[in-house]
Amino acid sequence: LGFWENREIMDLNDRILAMHDGSWMRPPVWRDGWETDARIAPFVDEGECILDRAYGKRESLRWGWKDPRTTLTLPFWRRVVGSFRPVLVIRNPLDVAHSLQRRHDWSVREGIELWKAYVTAGLRHNARTPMLLTFYEDYFQEPTRETERLLQFCGLPISVDSSELLETIRGEHRHHRAEKSDLLLSSDCPDDAKFMYFGLRQVRDDVQRHGICLESAEFARSATGLCRSTEEG
């Protein structure tokens, strides 16, 4: 219940984005290899200190953090942490757009363009590492199954108490509830965003149905190819 972002991580991400003439609302255009730029070195030391304060002796713990900005700055954090197991949570783009419309008076189109930028970054930055792709709405529809997938991917004991889980995942905290059919029929959502959302869902479902390891580097690369195909028309 709640957001639970680490404020120090959020602030550092914001400063990295600002250094590259961007923000969480206006993702920058990254140069290849930007994370190894000499100007980034002080941020690497700061990132290590932040994680030490938050998680102590990290090598002996299973730990992690949540901040959507990390989707954009992930190459930097990979330099700080080394190897890790990213979880990319996809939400219906209409829900994202309506949330941004309510909070920042954005148009639906603007919100969906930002959704596309984050999904694209999340897929490309994880194209060479195992990744869990999971969908926000599924935690309200199949909470036990999705949580078990998450625990398994993170290497945590799978002992989900359904009654306790349902007490935590409460429908009243889901403020925007666009259905898949709403997205499909929306005249405000560009076709490439629809293709990206439904395509990722289909790929996820297909590989799961055939018993292929979903959290594989091959899946991340295929998802990146799907994302690239929407940009090329």
Side-chain angles (χ1 to χ4, degrees), residues 92-169:
N92 187 314
L94 279 183
D95 285 344
V96 173
H98 291 153
S99 177
L100 291 167
Q101 187 177 53
R102 179 177 60 83
R103 289 186 290 139
H104 302 289
D105 199 29
W106 284 25
S107 71
V108 171
R109 286 290 181 113
E110 287 175 314
I112 289 174
E113 287 301 313
L114 186 64
W115 177 89
K116 285 168 51 183
Y118 272 75
V119 173
T120 301
L123 294 173
R124 286 183 170 169
H125 290 161
N126 291 304
R128 295 179 179 85
T129 188
M131 173 186 68
L132 177 68
L133 181 68
T134 184
F135 289 83
Y136 173 85
E137 305 86 58
D138 292 352
Y139 287 90
F140 295 91
Q141 297 165 0
E142 298 183 273
T144 300
R145 188 193 73 169
E146 285 305 302
T147 304
E148 286 180 348
R149 287 183 60 242
L150 177 62
L151 293 173
Q152 183 177 23
F153 177 74
C154 294
L156 296 168
I158 299 177
S159 56
V160 177
D161 183 329
S162 296
S163 60
E164 182 179 354
L165 185 62
L166 293 174
E167 279 296 311
T168 304
I169 301 175

Side-chain angles (χ1 to χ4, degrees), residues 7 16 23 61 64 70 100 109 133 158 164 167 172 175 179 201 216 225:
R7 289 288 178 183
I16 292 171
S23 69
L61 300 172
T70 305
L100 291 167
R109 286 290 181 113
L133 181 68
I158 299 177
E164 182 179 354
E167 279 296 311
E172 65 265 26
H175 301 299
E179 300 294 335
R201 269 200 169 277
S216 67

Side-chain angles (χ1 to χ4, degrees), residues 2 6 18 21 58 71 125 127 160 181 190 200 204 221 228 232:
N6 180 298
D21 300 318
R58 303 192 300 276
T71 312
H125 290 161
V160 177
S181 58
L200 288 170
R204 198 280 303 269
R221 280 193 288 272
R228 186 176 298 115
E232 294 172 352

Side-chain angles (χ1 to χ4, degrees), residues 187-200:
S187 59
D188 290 323
C189 182
D191 287 343
D192 60 348
K194 295 178 185 180
F195 180 74
M196 188 183 295
Y197 178 82
F198 287 110
L200 288 170

